[in-house]
Amino acid sequence: MAHLYACQLLSTYQIARITGDNRQRVNWLLRKAGVPVNPRGTGRPRAGRDDQARHIDDLMTDMYLRLRLSTTQIAELVDIPASAVRYRLLARGVPMRTRGGNSREDRIVIPPDELADLYLQAGRSADEVGQMLGVSRRVVLRSAHDAGLPVRVGGAPPQHGPSEIELIQSLYADTMVSEVLTRHEVPEVPEAGPIWQRFPVPHKLTAELAAELYSDCGLGLHHIELLTGQPAGTVSSLLRASGVPLRSAGGRSPFMRRWREGNELRIVRGCSSAAARPMAGTRRVELGSSPPS
């Protein structure tokens, strides 16, 4: 056992398989023979181990970042535990994607060019685009908002004002939202793109910040996601845990109603001001005065 461990550089696990003993007995016999045994988990120096480890780490990094495989999928391919894959990637400084059902990075995203062709150029509805691409209406609208595309507002067509909204810019332009973000020192990220690219590290979302954006500003869960980088599911869980009652599904959020009413009001005021101004080349006549000759 001493020869296998010290000269052939085998691990205690390998020696136990060769001798038929358990690992604890191998450790005991090695120490009894005066052979220093490394603590469990430190590994053993082996010829060519560093080069081989670097090659495996390079391979796992490529599979994780470029091929977008999960740590579990990588573990099955390289035959090491998923926890070891995650540890070795972290040791290399690879940013880990969100785990669980609220994953930001592994969500379905429609390419902006394809979405613009079907939704904007062809004028198809979100439901029609979703049926053509095999995704839900929610994925279509979320991808459009993430990409900064103007999204048609559902419901009855407005009498005045625009019927489209570029959500990211509209959120930052809202006075109530801007005040809350400034008070909580949430930086603005106006660039469009998938949420994991806009926020490589999500902004810390406190219960107070989530409640103010949701209840006071009237934002929806996806609106808060666009401002903080935290998945909508995480926002929902935090609000529920804080005792904030969630609005029922469907309908328009208070922010969207405020946005539409504000745009309609600005359009009406603009029309009224234009109507009050005299047309070019005309003279204003006061009531009771004689008309110009």
Side-chain angles (χ1 to χ4, degrees):
M1 288 185 183
H3 173 75
L4 293 175
Y5 187 80
C7 300
Q8 297 192 16
L9 302 179
L10 299 184
S11 68
T12 54
Y13 288 97
Q14 293 171 318
I15 297 173
R17 285 197 295 268
I18 293 173
T19 61
D21 290 314
N22 58 49
R23 192 183 64 83
Q24 288 77 11
R25 177 171 171 77
V26 173
N27 281 328
W28 180 76
L29 289 173
L30 288 173
R31 289 191 176 94
K32 186 178 181 180
V35 177
V37 179
N38 290 329
R40 183 179 180 183
T42 58
R44 296 280 295 154
R46 298 181 179 88
R49 179 189 176 108
D50 291 342
D51 293 338
Q52 183 182 12
R54 279 195 294 269
H55 175 71
I56 294 176
D57 288 346
D58 291 340
L59 180 62
M60 293 192 300
T61 302
D62 182 68
M63 289 190 290
Y64 189 78
L65 294 179
R66 186 175 65 84
L67 301 181
R68 312 297 297 173
L69 298 184
S70 67
T71 53
T72 303
Q73 292 171 320
I74 296 173
E76 294 175 353
L77 293 174
V78 300
D79 196 25
I80 62 176
S83 58
V85 174
R86 186 175 181 84
Y87 173 80
R88 290 169 71 164
L89 290 176
L90 285 172
R92 276 199 153 204
V94 176
M96 292 287 100
R97 299 193 292 267
T98 310
R99 293 188 290 180
N102 294 332
S103 174
R104 307 180 313 146
E105 298 83 359
D106 296 327
R107 58 176 47 172
I108 300 174
V109 178
I110 303 173
D113 294 341
E114 185 177 6
L115 187 58
D117 290 341
L118 295 174
Y119 185 74
L120 296 182
Q121 302 299 328
R124 299 182 182 275
S125 67
D127 292 312
E128 292 173 335
V129 175
Q131 291 175 1
M132 295 178 64
L133 301 179
V135 297
S136 66
R137 175 179 181 272
R138 180 178 60 85
V139 172
V140 174
L141 294 177
R142 185 186 65 199
S143 299
H145 286 310
D146 289 348
L149 299 178
V151 176
R152 296 187 292 274
V153 181
Q159 296 179 352
H160 306 282
S163 59
E164 295 179 344
I165 179 172
E166 296 180 5
L167 193 51
I168 298 176
Q169 289 80 1
S170 299
L171 287 168
Y172 286 127
D174 187 85
T175 304
M176 295 176 63
V177 174
S178 178
E179 290 178 355
V180 172
L181 296 181
T182 301
R183 187 164 61 254
H184 288 271
E185 299 182 348
V186 180
E188 291 191 8
V189 185
E191 298 81 8
I195 201 69
W196 58 272
Q197 288 184 353
R198 292 183 60 230
F199 295 90
V201 178
H203 184 80
K204 183 179 180 181
L205 183 62
T206 63
E208 181 183 3
L209 173 59
E212 288 189 33
L213 291 175
Y214 186 79
S215 300
D216 299 345
C217 299
L219 301 191
L221 300 178
H222 182 63
H223 301 158
I224 301 176
E225 174 183 299
L226 289 174
L227 295 176
T228 64
Q230 294 286 356
T234 301
V235 178
S236 175
S237 300
L238 179 60
L239 290 172
R240 292 180 187 275
S242 304
V244 177
L246 298 183
R247 297 185 289 270
S248 57
R252 190 169 291 132
S253 67
F255 165 76
M256 290 300 297
R257 292 196 297 269
R258 185 168 71 248
W259 174 84
R260 169 169 277 185
E261 292 169 358
N263 277 282
E264 290 183 357
L265 185 59
R266 281 192 290 272
I267 294 296
V268 171
R269 287 177 175 172
C271 293
S272 300
S273 300
R277 291 193 299 269
M279 296 178 61
T282 64
R283 295 176 56 188
R284 186 169 182 177
V285 180
E286 300 294 337
L287 291 178
S289 63
S290 301
S293 57

